[in-house]
Amino acid sequence: MNDATDGERAALRKVRRWLWIFVVCLVLSGLTAFPLESETRWLAELAAGPGAPVTDRFPALLEWIERVRDGLAETNARHPFLAYGTDWLAFAHLVIAAAFWGPLRDPVRNVWVIRWAVLACAGIIPLALICGPLRGIPLYWRFVDMSFGIVGVVPLLLVLRALRPLVERAEATGHPRPA
């Protein structure tokens, strides 16, 4: 029986659209964790290239990018097994993205996954603030890291807002979800 209203169907379309954006970003973030050495080399070349504003305006940022590039290259040359850690990081992003299959299919019943993801986004902030200084990460780069949690939580909060009436309706009627 299909008892969902047009408004509920529109809300579910909006929810799924935002969830797809979140999932695609997770997948892209995961895939980019595999070729870090190449990516940092390209970033350093771009940042130091002709007409690059980073060189003139943010010399400390360029210095950091080059330090990371050199550190990755040296580590991969001498201790390639350490890159296995970022392989697992990449894999974790892909697995988290796969966990959203449930909310994409049935966001009301699987709203807990979305709430969990909001907590995970919030957890990025203390992680960056606590572990960043311990690992010698510059403050400005910690802000870049924290931005992933801040940017990531935006679509999730939009999803939760759109889902709120649907979840309340499902709970009030005893139905797990609208059709």
Side-chain angles (χ1 to χ4, degrees), residues 108-132:
V108 174
R109 182 175 287 164
N110 294 293
V111 69
W112 68 271
V113 175
I114 301 158
R115 291 175 180 149
W116 166 82
V118 168
L119 290 174
C121 286
I124 291 172
I125 307 297
L127 179 77
L129 292 174
I130 294 166
C131 295

Side-chain angles (χ1 to χ4, degrees), residues 85-158:
T86 55
D87 294 342
W88 280 105
L89 170 71
F91 177 73
H93 278 78
L94 300 175
V95 168
I96 293 167
F100 277 84
W101 178 249
L104 283 166
R105 290 200 55 190
D106 190 340
V108 174
R109 182 175 287 164
N110 294 293
V111 69
W112 68 271
V113 175
I114 301 158
R115 291 175 180 149
W116 166 82
V118 168
L119 290 174
C121 286
I124 291 172
I125 307 297
L127 179 77
L129 292 174
I130 294 166
C131 295
L134 294 174
R135 304 290 185 212
I137 307 299
L139 181 61
Y140 58 83
W141 199 262
R142 284 181 262 153
F143 283 116
V144 170
D145 290 338
M146 289 185 283
S147 74
F148 284 92
I150 294 165
V151 170
V153 80
V154 170
L156 296 173
L157 292 176
L158 292 170

